[in-house]
Amino acid sequence: MSVPVLAAPAPTRTEVTETIEATEFRLLGPVAVHNRRTGTGIAPSGPKQRALLATLVVHAGQQLSVDRLVEELWGDRPPANAPSALHTHVARLRRLLPAPGHEWISTLPTGYLLSLGSASTDAARFTRLSGRGRATAPSDPHDATRLLGQALALWQGSALQDSCHGPLCTAEADRLEEQRLTTLEALYEASLNCGRYAEIVGDLERLTAAHPLRERLYDLLMVALYRCGRQSEALGVYERARRRLLAALGVEPGPALRCRLEAVLNHCPTLTPSRPRRPDLAAEVARLQTRIDQLVKDQTRLLRSIEEQGAGG
């Protein structure tokens, strides 16, 4: 006698909504789909699937034609049945994505469109945190270093790792990498303004070696070394930058770096670190006391109300 196999109950609308809200598409490293509530994740197994997912997520909310997607996945050597092969990849990707019953990828007359809905991406989180950190830096460099550090901690490798074969993903990876480097520069500038110049010299040495044409990194390193009392080494950084720029591009350092050289040579007062801002403890204590007083008043009113209700009953 055969035992009937019971089908798993379909997810409720609430369960589907919660899954969508918890879903984060990860682009800052290996391309994957992550559930922020459970901590679990899934990743397409093949490079074509990863490239397809990355392309659709990067251009979420935009229709991508079959021709553009074929070029992204196969370049100028597509298979004879490329539209059919693309359709198969889309179907597999649909089965892989979470929240069964939710249509992530829509099929349109001439292409496909992915809708994020209430899902998120780590790239969007990075952009928000980086923007907040850079906006905070002038008034509170300590908080800025926290925010910028959180933004950079989202990176788990190069952007769109193993998915940058076509022009769309390559352009997005380049854009995100530029944002990462700009955020790094903002982080080390904020660290300088917090008085942490000795701590960041080693990091900046490594960064200038890894990115020999970014003059801003040399600038920050010169300031850090100068504030450590290492003026001659700061001057050496300028010469190193100059040699690398001449060898690679045939140009001298730009105006900003030349001005920094003059400042170091002349012991310009602007190079002297300003005293980091300290929190106003008296103001903070006063604020907390006001809050405590308000809570006491609220509690007193609540108890009086309860007593009056009891007396009335």
Side-chain angles (χ1 to χ4, degrees):
M1 178 178 178
S2 61
V3 179
V5 177
L6 299 178
T12 66
R13 186 171 181 176
T14 299
E15 290 171 335
V16 171
T17 300
E18 289 177 349
T19 300
I20 296 170
E21 291 175 347
T23 298
E24 180 176 75
F25 292 92
R26 296 198 162 175
L27 307 175
L28 306 180
V31 175
V33 187
H34 184 74
N35 187 307
R36 297 178 63 185
R37 180 161 45 86
T38 64
T40 58
I42 51 177
S45 57
K48 292 287 190 293
Q49 289 276 297
R50 291 194 294 272
L52 177 60
L53 176 60
T55 307
L56 290 170
V57 172
V58 164
H59 294 276
Q62 304 174 36
Q63 177 181 336
L64 292 173
S65 68
V66 169
D67 289 343
R68 292 190 77 185
L69 289 171
V70 167
E71 179 187 14
E72 191 70 18
L73 268 60
W74 289 283
D76 57 2
R77 301 180 67 181
N81 61 340
S84 178
L86 174 63
H87 180 75
T88 299
H89 281 302
V90 171
R92 291 174 180 169
L93 196 56
R94 282 188 173 123
R95 291 194 294 270
L96 181 70
L97 293 176
H102 174 70
E103 187 178 32
W104 291 101
I105 304 173
S106 302
T107 301
L108 303 174
T110 59
Y112 299 93
L113 178 148
L114 182 140
S115 175
L116 284 178
S118 55
S120 61
T121 70
D122 59 352
R125 271 207 296 155
F126 166 74
T127 299
R128 286 195 299 272
L129 284 167
S130 176
R132 286 173 56 197
R134 285 182 281 114
T136 302
S139 59
D140 191 346
H142 291 278
D143 195 41
T145 58
R146 179 183 64 83
L147 291 167
L148 295 167
Q150 288 177 356
L152 291 163
L154 295 174
W155 287 71
Q156 302 298 313
S158 58
L160 307 180
Q161 189 170 305
D162 300 328
S163 303
C164 299
H165 305 297
L168 297 177
C169 283
T170 298
E172 180 64 9
D174 290 345
R175 187 187 71 83
L176 288 169
E177 174 62 10
E178 178 61 29
Q179 281 194 355
R180 185 185 74 87
L181 291 171
T182 301
T183 301
L184 269 171
E185 291 167 352
L187 172 65
Y188 287 113
E189 181 175 11
S191 298
L192 282 173
N193 292 332
C194 291
R196 299 173 184 166
Y197 31 88
E199 300 174 26
I200 65 175
V201 166
D203 288 345
L204 288 170
E205 291 279 11
R206 287 187 289 274
L207 284 168
T208 54
H211 305 280
L213 303 182
R214 291 191 76 89
E215 294 187 41
R216 181 61 176 146
L217 293 172
Y218 292 111
D219 189 346
L220 294 167
L221 179 55
M222 289 176 70
V223 175
L225 287 168
Y226 183 88
R227 291 183 179 178
C228 290
R230 298 159 65 179
Q231 183 191 18
S232 62
E233 291 178 66
L235 296 174
V237 168
Y238 179 87
E239 286 304 316
R240 186 162 73 237
R242 181 175 178 274
R243 287 195 303 272
R244 288 174 176 172
L245 290 167
L246 282 171
L249 305 175
V251 298
E252 294 278 347
L257 203 56
R258 291 200 302 270
C259 286
R260 188 67 74 194
L261 172 66
E262 292 294 325
V264 171
L265 286 169
N266 297 312
H267 299 280
C268 184
T270 58
L271 287 174
T272 303
S274 57
R275 179 172 295 180
R277 289 183 55 188
R278 297 184 179 276
D280 188 341
L281 295 180
E284 183 68 12
V285 169
R287 187 187 68 80
L288 291 173
Q289 186 60 54
T290 300
R291 180 62 178 152
I292 292 170
D293 293 342
Q294 184 61 49
L295 289 172
V296 170
K297 290 178 183 178
D298 291 344
Q299 184 182 36
T300 301
R301 281 197 296 270
L302 179 60
L303 291 172
R304 186 180 299 117
S305 175
I306 294 172
E307 291 173 354
E308 290 173 353
Q309 290 177 5

